[in-house]
Amino acid sequence: MNTVVVGGGVIGLATAWRAARQGLSVTVIDPTPAGRTSHVSGGMLPAVNEQLYDQEDLRRLCLASRELYPTFVAELEEFAPAGFRRDGVLDAAFDEDSLSSLDRQQAFQESLGVRTERLTPEECAELQPAFAPTAGGLLSPDEGAVDPRTLNAALLTAIDALGGTVVRKRAVRVGDHTVVLDDGDEVAFDRLVLAAGCWTHQIGGLPENAVPEIRPVKGQILRLHSDPPLVSVATRALSKGRSLLLIPRTDGELVVGSTYEERGYDETVTAEGTHDLLTRAAEIVPGVGALRFAEMSAGLRPASPDELPVIGPSTVPDVYLAAGHFRMGVQLAPVTAVAMAAYLTDTAPPAQVLPFTPLRFG
């Protein structure tokens, strides 16, 4: 069976790799595979976020993906390093209001069986000596992060090793079991997966409303570098009602993110975004100004109409969707890939994905 995946971000690549492991012939179509939103992503893998308190279905999906991550990575690392580390996520509070929010988070995580350790200001300082004084923190020692750039490179290597093909062109239209490319070439498919993020609904040739509109939400993200690393543990710094992500890499890179902007398809890196992230980072890590500036980049998070993932068969026979993961594409890649491979091979997908059917939009 010939499976075509349109979209070479982490969701599309993970789906293609899992399908290839299931013995399917796989072709990925993307003009810049691994080069857009998931290339910009920070890759933090917290157990929960504020969105999960009132979203039971999404919570179950996230926890299912969390359980799959170690196996997902272990299988992928048969081909190449995946950049995964599970050495803790720290929620650090820098004011009393933020500290009180950690009470609810700790109770919530422990109700889900997610281990936590409450830290005093002194213990936070010992764990993260570069930080400004905190009011306290919450450490989730079993969580961690992944470097999406390393992960995507490993997925491309694995797809190639399993005989998959990557076509570096843009899909413009779906025909009768073919995908028409921007140069007029066509790629035949038995089954098609549309996983092109916020560009998914722009692919032509499908009936109206077959694909829900996936709106772009811009995020700018900063990369700094030091040797040795200035920050040791992936951190959500909570201050003045906002959170700042600080994600260290083993090579000394520090990822700082991110902004949240409703700007349509604008991927411009702005002075305002750079200033905002640098200013907030300096409040948390006073020595950050001495780090080497490595990169400032922008990506477009894909948000469905209800801001929940869209995973499964569409109303069009043999056409499937894997899009709309919003802020959680890297986090939900393992469970999405398993689910899509199940759909493509006519086996039962994980029960946790069933509420996220595209058919919920009518």
Side-chain angles (χ1 to χ4, degrees):
M1 182 177 294
N2 184 31
T3 297
V4 171
V5 178
V6 176
V10 68
I11 294 296
L13 293 177
T15 294
W17 169 62
R18 185 61 67 183
R21 284 186 71 90
Q22 295 291 98
L24 302 181
S25 174
V26 173
T27 300
V28 177
I29 299 174
D30 193 303
T32 55
R36 301 197 82 163
T37 302
S38 54
H39 180 75
V40 175
S41 173
M44 183 179 286
L45 302 173
V48 302
N49 61 46
E50 67 282 355
Q51 189 179 1
L52 304 188
Y53 289 144
D54 303 316
Q55 294 274 5
E56 184 176 356
D57 289 335
L58 184 60
R59 181 166 69 243
R60 290 174 176 170
L61 188 69
C62 287
L63 291 174
S65 204
R66 173 181 179 267
E67 291 302 311
L68 288 171
Y69 236 106
T71 302
F72 173 78
V73 168
E75 292 179 0
L76 186 56
E77 289 191 334
E78 296 172 13
F79 302 93
F84 177 66
R85 53 192 292 188
R86 189 169 250 181
D87 52 3
V89 168
L90 173 66
D91 287 275
F94 287 83
D95 54 49
E96 291 301 319
D97 288 342
S98 299
L99 184 65
S100 64
S101 73
L102 296 184
D103 294 333
R104 182 187 184 193
Q105 181 179 331
Q106 183 174 23
F108 182 62
Q109 288 192 197
E110 291 184 350
S111 74
L112 301 174
V114 177
R115 205 157 58 100
T116 64
E117 298 175 13
R118 198 61 181 261
L119 303 184
T120 65
E122 294 75 20
E123 289 169 328
C124 283
E126 183 177 354
L127 180 63
Q128 301 280 43
F131 279 9
T134 71
L138 183 68
L139 179 66
S140 303
D142 299 326
E143 314 315 311
V146 66
D147 183 345
R149 297 181 177 185
T150 304
L151 178 65
N152 281 340
L155 286 166
L156 284 168
T157 297
I159 290 166
D160 180 68
L162 293 171
T165 301
V166 177
V167 176
R168 287 172 168 78
K169 299 178 184 180
R170 184 170 62 90
V172 297
R173 188 171 69 256
V174 178
D176 182 12
H177 281 83
T178 64
V179 176
V180 182
L181 307 180
D182 53 2
D183 62 356
D185 286 350
E186 297 186 7
V187 179
F189 66 83
D190 295 305
R191 288 185 172 172
L192 172 66
V193 178
L194 300 180
C198 59
W199 295 273
T200 302
H201 66 282
Q202 296 183 347
I203 299 168
L206 295 170
E208 186 178 359
N209 299 325
V211 181
E213 182 175 351
I214 309 293
R215 88 178 191 279
V217 181
K218 180 179 176 180
Q220 299 187 60
I221 198 163
L222 172 68
R223 284 174 165 81
L224 305 170
H225 199 278
S226 65
D227 188 17
L230 189 63
V231 175
S232 59
V233 176
T235 300
R236 289 184 292 198
L238 312 174
S239 176
K240 303 173 185 175
R242 302 177 71 186
S243 65
L244 184 71
L245 305 184
L246 301 163
I247 310 162
R249 310 288 190 221
T250 55
D251 65 355
E253 181 179 78
L254 178 63
V255 180
V256 182
S258 62
T259 67
Y260 186 101
E261 305 168 52
E262 297 279 0
R263 299 284 178 87
Y265 286 89
D266 173 21
E267 295 178 84
T268 305
V269 172
T270 66
E272 180 183 17
T274 306
H275 178 265
D276 177 52
L277 291 177
L278 279 171
T279 300
R280 292 166 62 197
E283 292 173 354
I284 304 304
V285 188
V288 80
L291 272 60
R292 176 169 62 85
F293 186 95
E295 180 184 314
M296 186 74 179
S297 51
L300 301 177
R301 307 174 184 91
S304 73
D306 59 8
E307 299 189 351
L308 296 173
V310 184
I311 305 169
S314 75
T315 56
V316 180
D318 299 322
V319 176
Y320 299 77
L321 303 181
H325 291 71
F326 201 18
R327 297 178 291 176
M328 300 185 193
V330 175
Q331 191 172 349
L332 294 175
V335 72
T336 302
V338 168
M340 294 310 304
Y343 283 124
L344 293 168
T345 55
D346 296 315
T347 55
Q352 293 90 344
V353 305
L354 298 180
F356 301 97
T357 170
L359 304 181
R360 73 182 186 270
F361 297 110

